[in-house]
Amino acid sequence: MRKWMLAAAVAVLATLGQPAEAQQKYRFAVVPKAMNNPFFDLARDGCLKRAKELGNIECIYRGPVEHEPATQAQLIQDFITQKVDGLAISVADVASATRSIKAAVDAGIPVITFDADAPGSARSAYIGTNNKEFGLALGKQLLALRPEGGKYAMVSGGPGAKNLAERVDGVREALKGSKWVEVSGSPTFCNDDVALAVQQMADLKSATPDLAAIVPIGGWPMFAPEGFKAFVNKNKKEIDAGKFTLVVADTLKMQLELLRDGYSNALTGQRPFEMGEKSMDALLALKKKEKIPEIIYTGLDTVTKETVAQYLK
């Protein structure tokens, strides 16, 4: 009897000695805008890595195949029904996501946003880029490369995404008062369709033959590398002569390689891998009833032809 009581006491003490989070497995869902966008693959990888390190978390990565806000809303509702322990959402459409986030929070599920925010919603925090600063950085890159100015256009993603609207505003603010003039029809909206993004670049150049620059505020056209290279090759003489400039958002490996090989003039990139990592930390903290900052910025990387080699190491 004494041996049994001693063993039981040891077992109880061992249980008490374990942190509470180690005793329960949490299921956190990461919902990107679109799964066919390689930018979000890095957020997924960061999520999976951090979940493995923490040991008591399962990272579930699922979103619309293409940029479809209605599909994203349905997937979020599915996760609410499944009673996941937390949601990290890259908001495709603010109005739709705001309703979905409220439904999740009402069901007792903590929600954060990453990459794209819905600031008026019930979400607990946003993790990602300061998108106004992102746009400012893109505009400043163009201004540094071509201070003499000219006509320019932007390519955007979804018209309902607040993060993209902030980038557009940032580019315009950076170029305000300069000799750069935005053309009619800018920005275009590709809805994260990479092939369409390349086509829109070609259409912009055809509509305005003396267009001096295009600034895609997301990496979409470069995510279709063959199509992007074909577009650049068609305009190579102007690019080499400094009459046509491409400053592109994001710094995925394929983009760094394209910059290295002369297919763009500069890149400004986000840190999606860190967004995935920090999303897991934030949701775990919320499950433990801990306070977290409402805004967690992950920073930017500015890359030129002179510095690209160090980013490819």
Side-chain angles (χ1 to χ4, degrees):
M1 177 64 74
R2 288 179 180 176
K3 290 182 179 179
W4 181 87
M5 291 177 64
L6 180 60
V10 170
V12 169
L13 288 171
T15 301
L16 292 173
Q18 294 176 6
E21 66 270 17
Q23 299 176 42
Q24 182 173 349
K25 188 85 171 182
Y26 294 115
R27 297 168 65 245
F28 295 151
V30 175
V31 186
K33 290 181 187 176
M35 293 182 71
N36 65 352
N37 185 336
F39 174 88
F40 292 111
D41 291 349
L42 293 176
R44 174 203 63 200
D45 294 346
C47 163
L48 292 171
K49 173 180 176 289
R50 189 64 181 136
K52 184 177 180 180
E53 290 171 348
L54 292 168
N56 62 321
I57 291 174
E58 178 187 359
C59 170
I60 305 168
Y61 175 79
R62 192 178 307 144
V65 175
E66 299 178 349
H67 185 281
E68 296 174 342
T71 303
Q72 186 183 61
Q74 183 57 58
L75 285 167
I76 294 168
Q77 184 56 53
D78 292 345
F79 282 128
I80 294 171
T81 302
Q82 294 167 26
K83 298 181 180 179
V84 296
D85 296 297
L87 280 163
I89 303 167
S90 176
V91 174
D93 179 85
V94 172
S96 175
T98 297
R99 292 189 294 270
S100 298
I101 291 169
K102 182 180 184 303
V105 172
D106 287 348
I109 300 171
V111 179
I112 62 168
T113 56
F114 76 99
D115 170 61
D117 194 16
S121 70
R123 61 96 171 112
S124 295
Y126 163 71
I127 298 173
T129 303
N130 181 328
N131 284 287
K132 184 66 175 291
E133 291 296 326
F134 193 5
L136 285 167
L138 289 165
K140 288 175 182 177
Q141 275 188 317
L142 178 58
L143 196 56
L145 289 166
R146 299 280 302 280
E148 74 277 12
K151 298 176 182 178
Y152 81 97
M154 289 181 275
V155 175
S156 186
K162 181 176 173 58
N163 65 324
L164 301 182
E166 289 175 346
R167 293 179 204 176
V168 168
D169 289 345
V171 172
R172 288 171 176 164
E173 185 174 318
L175 298 176
K176 186 177 181 180
S178 74
K179 295 179 180 179
W180 283 101
V181 178
E182 187 177 1
V183 300
S184 176
S186 168
T188 61
F189 297 100
C190 70
N191 287 312
D192 288 18
D193 183 325
V194 299
L196 180 58
V198 174
Q199 183 59 53
Q200 288 178 344
M201 291 179 70
D203 292 344
L204 287 165
K205 193 72 172 78
S206 296
T208 308
D210 60 341
L211 192 67
I214 296 180
V215 183
I217 61 166
W220 312 287
M222 285 181 132
F223 299 160
E226 295 309 313
F228 184 78
K229 286 195 285 187
F231 169 79
V232 172
N233 287 333
K234 186 176 180 180
N235 298 279
K236 199 73 165 65
K237 288 183 179 180
E238 285 188 62
I239 292 172
D240 290 344
K243 295 180 179 180
F244 184 49
T245 302
L246 296 170
V247 174
V248 187
D250 296 327
T251 50
L252 274 64
K253 185 180 179 183
M254 68 179 75
Q255 294 179 273
L256 295 170
E257 291 171 345
L258 287 166
L259 173 60
R260 177 197 62 195
D261 297 339
Y263 286 97
S264 69
N265 299 94
L267 302 171
T268 291
Q270 307 173 80
R271 297 170 182 169
F273 190 90
E274 290 183 22
M275 294 180 199
E277 286 184 309
K278 293 181 183 298
S279 291
M280 295 299 97
D281 290 331
L283 287 172
L284 181 58
L286 290 171
K287 290 300 293 185
K288 295 162 63 178
K289 308 299 183 183
E290 297 175 356
K291 289 187 177 180
I292 62 173
E294 183 181 358
I295 304 294
I296 302 170
Y297 288 136
T298 49
L300 294 168
D301 295 304
T302 300
V303 189
T304 64
K305 291 180 181 179
E306 291 71 32
T307 62
V308 68
Q310 71 188 61
Y311 285 91
L312 280 168
K313 289 180 180 177

